Short mmCIF file of all heavy atoms in Angstrom, two decimals:
data_model
loop_
_atom_site.label_atom_id
_atom_site.label_comp_id
_atom_site.label_asym_id
_atom_site.label_seq_id
_atom_site.Cartn_x
_atom_site.Cartn_y
_atom_site.Cartn_z
N LEU A 1 149.75 -68.14 39.91
CA LEU A 1 149.58 -66.81 40.50
C LEU A 1 150.50 -66.60 41.69
O LEU A 1 151.05 -65.51 41.89
CB LEU A 1 148.12 -66.61 40.91
CG LEU A 1 147.10 -66.55 39.77
CD1 LEU A 1 145.68 -66.50 40.31
CD2 LEU A 1 147.36 -65.34 38.87
N THR A 2 150.67 -67.64 42.49
CA THR A 2 151.60 -67.54 43.62
C THR A 2 153.02 -67.36 43.13
O THR A 2 153.78 -66.52 43.65
CB THR A 2 151.50 -68.80 44.51
OG1 THR A 2 150.16 -68.95 44.96
CG2 THR A 2 152.42 -68.68 45.71
N GLY A 3 153.40 -68.13 42.11
CA GLY A 3 154.76 -68.01 41.57
C GLY A 3 155.05 -66.64 41.00
O GLY A 3 156.15 -66.10 41.17
N GLY A 4 154.06 -66.04 40.33
CA GLY A 4 154.26 -64.70 39.79
C GLY A 4 154.49 -63.67 40.87
O GLY A 4 155.36 -62.80 40.75
N ALA A 5 153.74 -63.77 41.97
CA ALA A 5 153.93 -62.83 43.08
C ALA A 5 155.27 -63.06 43.77
O ALA A 5 155.95 -62.10 44.19
CB ALA A 5 152.78 -62.96 44.07
N MET A 6 155.67 -64.33 43.90
CA MET A 6 156.94 -64.63 44.56
C MET A 6 158.11 -64.04 43.79
O MET A 6 159.15 -63.71 44.38
CB MET A 6 157.11 -66.14 44.71
CG MET A 6 156.21 -66.76 45.78
SD MET A 6 156.49 -66.10 47.45
CE MET A 6 158.18 -66.64 47.74
N LEU A 7 158.00 -63.90 42.46
CA LEU A 7 159.07 -63.27 41.70
C LEU A 7 159.33 -61.85 42.19
O LEU A 7 160.48 -61.42 42.31
CB LEU A 7 158.73 -63.27 40.21
CG LEU A 7 158.79 -64.61 39.49
CD1 LEU A 7 158.25 -64.47 38.07
CD2 LEU A 7 160.22 -65.14 39.46
N PHE A 8 158.27 -61.12 42.47
CA PHE A 8 158.44 -59.76 43.00
C PHE A 8 158.97 -59.80 44.44
O PHE A 8 159.86 -59.01 44.79
CB PHE A 8 157.11 -59.01 42.96
CG PHE A 8 156.70 -58.56 41.59
CD1 PHE A 8 155.64 -59.17 40.94
CD2 PHE A 8 157.38 -57.55 40.95
CE1 PHE A 8 155.26 -58.76 39.67
CE2 PHE A 8 157.01 -57.13 39.68
CZ PHE A 8 155.95 -57.74 39.03
N ALA A 9 158.43 -60.69 45.26
CA ALA A 9 158.89 -60.77 46.65
C ALA A 9 160.37 -61.13 46.71
O ALA A 9 161.14 -60.54 47.48
CB ALA A 9 158.06 -61.79 47.42
N ASN A 10 160.77 -62.10 45.89
CA ASN A 10 162.17 -62.52 45.88
C ASN A 10 163.08 -61.47 45.25
O ASN A 10 164.30 -61.52 45.43
CB ASN A 10 162.32 -63.84 45.12
CG ASN A 10 161.71 -65.00 45.87
OD1 ASN A 10 161.54 -64.96 47.09
ND2 ASN A 10 161.35 -66.05 45.15
N SER A 11 162.50 -60.52 44.52
CA SER A 11 163.29 -59.45 43.92
C SER A 11 163.32 -58.21 44.80
O SER A 11 163.83 -57.17 44.38
CB SER A 11 162.71 -59.09 42.54
OG SER A 11 162.81 -60.19 41.66
N GLY A 12 162.77 -58.30 46.01
CA GLY A 12 162.93 -57.23 46.98
C GLY A 12 161.71 -56.39 47.26
O GLY A 12 161.81 -55.44 48.05
N ALA A 13 160.55 -56.69 46.66
CA ALA A 13 159.35 -55.93 47.00
C ALA A 13 159.04 -56.10 48.48
O ALA A 13 159.18 -57.19 49.04
CB ALA A 13 158.16 -56.40 46.15
N CYS A 14 158.60 -55.03 49.13
CA CYS A 14 158.30 -55.10 50.57
C CYS A 14 156.83 -55.32 50.84
O CYS A 14 156.42 -55.38 52.00
CB CYS A 14 158.78 -53.84 51.29
SG CYS A 14 157.93 -52.32 50.77
N GLY A 15 156.04 -55.45 49.77
CA GLY A 15 154.62 -55.70 49.99
C GLY A 15 153.86 -55.71 48.68
O GLY A 15 154.42 -55.53 47.59
N PHE A 16 152.55 -55.92 48.81
CA PHE A 16 151.66 -55.98 47.65
C PHE A 16 150.36 -55.27 47.97
O PHE A 16 149.85 -55.35 49.09
CB PHE A 16 151.33 -57.43 47.29
CG PHE A 16 152.50 -58.23 46.79
CD1 PHE A 16 153.28 -58.96 47.68
CD2 PHE A 16 152.82 -58.24 45.43
CE1 PHE A 16 154.37 -59.69 47.23
CE2 PHE A 16 153.90 -58.98 44.97
CZ PHE A 16 154.68 -59.71 45.87
N ARG A 17 149.82 -54.57 46.97
CA ARG A 17 148.44 -54.13 47.00
C ARG A 17 147.70 -55.12 46.10
O ARG A 17 148.03 -55.28 44.93
CB ARG A 17 148.33 -52.71 46.47
CG ARG A 17 146.89 -52.13 46.45
CD ARG A 17 146.25 -52.32 45.09
NE ARG A 17 145.02 -51.54 44.94
CZ ARG A 17 144.23 -51.61 43.88
NH1 ARG A 17 144.52 -52.43 42.89
NH2 ARG A 17 143.15 -50.88 43.82
N ILE A 18 146.72 -55.82 46.64
CA ILE A 18 146.01 -56.86 45.91
C ILE A 18 144.71 -56.29 45.37
O ILE A 18 143.86 -55.82 46.12
CB ILE A 18 145.75 -58.09 46.80
CG1 ILE A 18 147.06 -58.60 47.41
CG2 ILE A 18 145.06 -59.18 45.99
CD1 ILE A 18 148.10 -59.05 46.40
N ASP A 19 144.56 -56.35 44.06
CA ASP A 19 143.41 -55.78 43.38
C ASP A 19 142.16 -56.65 43.56
O ASP A 19 142.24 -57.88 43.57
CB ASP A 19 143.74 -55.64 41.89
CG ASP A 19 142.70 -54.88 41.11
OD1 ASP A 19 142.46 -53.71 41.45
OD2 ASP A 19 142.12 -55.45 40.17
N ALA A 20 141.02 -55.99 43.70
CA ALA A 20 139.70 -56.64 43.62
C ALA A 20 139.53 -57.83 44.56
O ALA A 20 139.01 -58.87 44.18
CB ALA A 20 139.44 -57.09 42.17
N VAL A 21 139.91 -57.68 45.83
CA VAL A 21 139.85 -58.83 46.75
C VAL A 21 138.43 -59.28 47.02
O VAL A 21 138.19 -60.47 47.30
CB VAL A 21 140.58 -58.53 48.08
CG1 VAL A 21 142.06 -58.31 47.86
CG2 VAL A 21 139.95 -57.37 48.83
N LYS A 22 137.44 -58.39 46.94
CA LYS A 22 136.07 -58.80 47.24
C LYS A 22 135.53 -59.79 46.23
O LYS A 22 134.52 -60.45 46.47
CB LYS A 22 135.15 -57.58 47.35
CG LYS A 22 134.76 -56.95 46.02
CD LYS A 22 133.92 -55.68 46.21
CE LYS A 22 132.53 -55.97 46.71
NZ LYS A 22 131.72 -54.74 46.86
N HIS A 23 136.20 -59.92 45.09
CA HIS A 23 135.75 -60.83 44.04
C HIS A 23 136.48 -62.17 44.08
O HIS A 23 136.34 -62.97 43.15
CB HIS A 23 135.90 -60.16 42.68
CG HIS A 23 135.13 -58.88 42.57
ND1 HIS A 23 133.76 -58.85 42.49
CD2 HIS A 23 135.54 -57.59 42.60
CE1 HIS A 23 133.35 -57.59 42.45
NE2 HIS A 23 134.41 -56.80 42.52
N MET A 24 137.27 -62.39 45.12
CA MET A 24 137.96 -63.67 45.31
C MET A 24 137.56 -64.27 46.63
O MET A 24 137.27 -63.55 47.59
CB MET A 24 139.49 -63.47 45.25
CG MET A 24 140.00 -63.08 43.87
SD MET A 24 141.78 -62.76 43.86
CE MET A 24 141.83 -61.08 44.51
N GLU A 25 137.58 -65.59 46.70
CA GLU A 25 137.27 -66.28 47.96
C GLU A 25 138.33 -65.95 49.01
O GLU A 25 139.54 -66.07 48.75
CB GLU A 25 137.22 -67.79 47.73
CG GLU A 25 135.97 -68.26 46.99
CD GLU A 25 134.77 -68.42 47.90
OE1 GLU A 25 134.83 -67.97 49.05
OE2 GLU A 25 133.77 -69.02 47.45
N LEU A 26 137.87 -65.54 50.19
CA LEU A 26 138.80 -65.20 51.27
C LEU A 26 139.68 -66.39 51.61
O LEU A 26 140.87 -66.22 51.90
CB LEU A 26 138.01 -64.74 52.49
CG LEU A 26 138.83 -64.32 53.71
CD1 LEU A 26 139.79 -63.18 53.37
CD2 LEU A 26 137.91 -63.93 54.87
N GLY A 27 139.12 -67.59 51.58
CA GLY A 27 139.91 -68.78 51.91
C GLY A 27 141.09 -68.98 50.99
O GLY A 27 142.17 -69.43 51.43
N TRP A 28 140.94 -68.66 49.71
CA TRP A 28 142.09 -68.75 48.81
C TRP A 28 143.10 -67.66 49.11
O TRP A 28 144.32 -67.91 49.14
CB TRP A 28 141.66 -68.65 47.34
CG TRP A 28 142.88 -68.75 46.45
CD1 TRP A 28 143.56 -69.88 46.12
CD2 TRP A 28 143.59 -67.67 45.86
NE1 TRP A 28 144.66 -69.58 45.34
CE2 TRP A 28 144.70 -68.21 45.16
CE3 TRP A 28 143.42 -66.28 45.84
CZ2 TRP A 28 145.61 -67.44 44.45
CZ3 TRP A 28 144.33 -65.49 45.13
CH2 TRP A 28 145.40 -66.06 44.45
#
């Protein structure tokens, strides 16, 4: 999952909207 997001970051994305954060552990 980290690698997939890094593909966008390395391709010039300036940010991310992260879906459904309340359903994931904050620590992760």
Side-chain angles (χ1 to χ4, degrees):
L1 293 174
T2 302
M6 287 300 295
L7 288 173
F8 285 109
N10 290 338
S11 297
C14 64
F16 293 91
R17 180 265 192 185
I18 305 299
D19 188 59
V21 296
K22 76 184 289 181
H23 301 289
M24 292 177 280
E25 287 278 11
L26 181 59
W28 180 78

